[in-house]
Each structure stands twice: as C-alpha cells, then as structure tokens.
Amino acid sequence: MKHLILALCLMASPAFAVEPDEVLDDPLLELRAREISKDLRCLVCRNESIDESNADIAKDLRLLVRERLLAGDSDTEVINFIVHGIPGEFAGYGEYVLLRPLGFGSNIFLWAAGPAMFLIAMGIGGGYLRKRAKASGKPVEALSEDEAKRLAEILKD
C-alpha cells in the first residue's frame, strides 16, 4: 500500500526535465536557477516552462541561466539578459520568453484591454436598459367588433 501511495505522489508531482549534467554544485545557485527557469517559456512547447521541457532550446536556455548565475548576475539581470540580450552580441528572445508578461510598456494595452472592454460593454448594456425603461409603452387598443368577428371566423376554420 505504501508503494502505491508513493507511486501516485510521484506521478502527481511535476516532472522536471533538468538533466544531471546541468545541475549546479552550489544548491543555492541551483535553487535560484530553478526559480528563474519556472518563469521562462520554452519557445518550442509554448506554455511549458524551460524547467519542464525536454526540447533542445529549453536545455540551451537552462544552461544559459546557469551560466549567467555562475558569472555573478542577479535574478533580474539573468532575465533581462535572456529577454533583451547584449546589443551586438546576443539579440535575446524578447518578452515572449516570459511566462508572466511584464505589466508595463507596450503590454499595458494588453493588460488594460480586458477590463476596458468589460466597462464599455457594461456602459452599452446599461444605456440600452435605461433607454428601454424610459420608452413609453402605448396601451394596446381592444379589438373592434368587426375585428373580433373576423378573428372568430378565422379560428373556426
């Protein structure tokens, strides 16, 4: 029974693609590398972090993260290097490589578009309901005798 529970727990935990030759000797640097890798997107697998992906480019990115950490970069400097690169040497991968896009710059329009559309839709819906409530409903006239007779004849047929 213990083995079954252990097997289920292992299957439920996330699978990491980090290979033994990539692991840093310093456990604190390795922990930082794992944390950074969780926030970087695999460019092949799309919605999978480089920490979980087995793609070659994910491995290259994991090695690049570890290389920058060994060079003494802070976590922010590592992410900036991967996103922006170094002019003339390495172009970087752009903001697409981030699993959580930045909330400023040109992305502010993307972050604001959803709430803005919601507010616009609420304004249009509220205006429609207000206009509809103010509309005067004219009372419907009763059928004349001739119309009532004609309707009765039609319904009999």
Side-chain angles (χ1 to χ4, degrees):
M1 185 68 168
K2 288 180 186 179
H3 298 293
L4 177 63
I5 292 172
L6 179 62
L8 289 175
C9 288
L10 289 175
M11 288 188 328
S13 66
F16 297 108
V18 178
E19 297 173 11
D21 62 334
E22 297 175 33
V23 177
L24 297 173
D25 294 331
D26 183 355
L28 293 177
L29 280 180
E30 180 61 28
L31 182 64
R32 284 178 56 201
R34 291 283 177 103
E35 287 301 314
I36 293 170
S37 296
K38 288 179 187 175
D39 293 334
L40 297 175
R41 176 191 324 267
C42 174
L43 300 171
V44 175
C45 308
R46 305 269 168 108
N47 285 331
E48 201 171 85
S49 73
I50 63 170
D51 203 37
E52 300 167 338
S53 174
N54 287 322
D56 289 338
I57 188 137
K59 180 177 181 172
D60 293 344
L61 281 170
R62 287 193 302 267
L63 292 173
L64 183 60
V65 166
R66 284 161 174 78
E67 178 183 307
R68 298 307 302 176
L69 287 174
L70 288 173
D73 287 357
S74 69
D75 294 0
T76 306
E77 289 172 333
V78 171
I79 292 174
N80 284 338
F81 178 80
I82 290 174
V83 171
H84 303 293
I86 297 176
E89 293 180 33
F90 171 65
Y93 293 97
E95 288 184 24
Y96 179 75
V97 78
L98 300 174
L99 278 173
R100 293 183 207 133
L102 304 174
F104 56 87
S106 61
N107 287 340
I108 195 71
F109 296 112
L110 296 174
W111 285 102
M117 291 298 189
F118 177 73
L119 292 175
I120 290 169
M122 292 299 289
I124 291 171
Y128 171 76
L129 292 175
R130 192 175 315 120
K131 184 177 177 182
R132 185 173 170 212
K134 287 182 180 179
S136 62
K138 297 179 182 177
V140 179
E141 298 177 17
L143 294 176
S144 66
E145 284 185 31
D146 291 336
E147 291 172 335
K149 287 179 186 176
R150 176 75 181 129
L151 182 60
E153 287 176 17
I154 292 173
L155 291 175
K156 284 181 184 176
D157 293 337

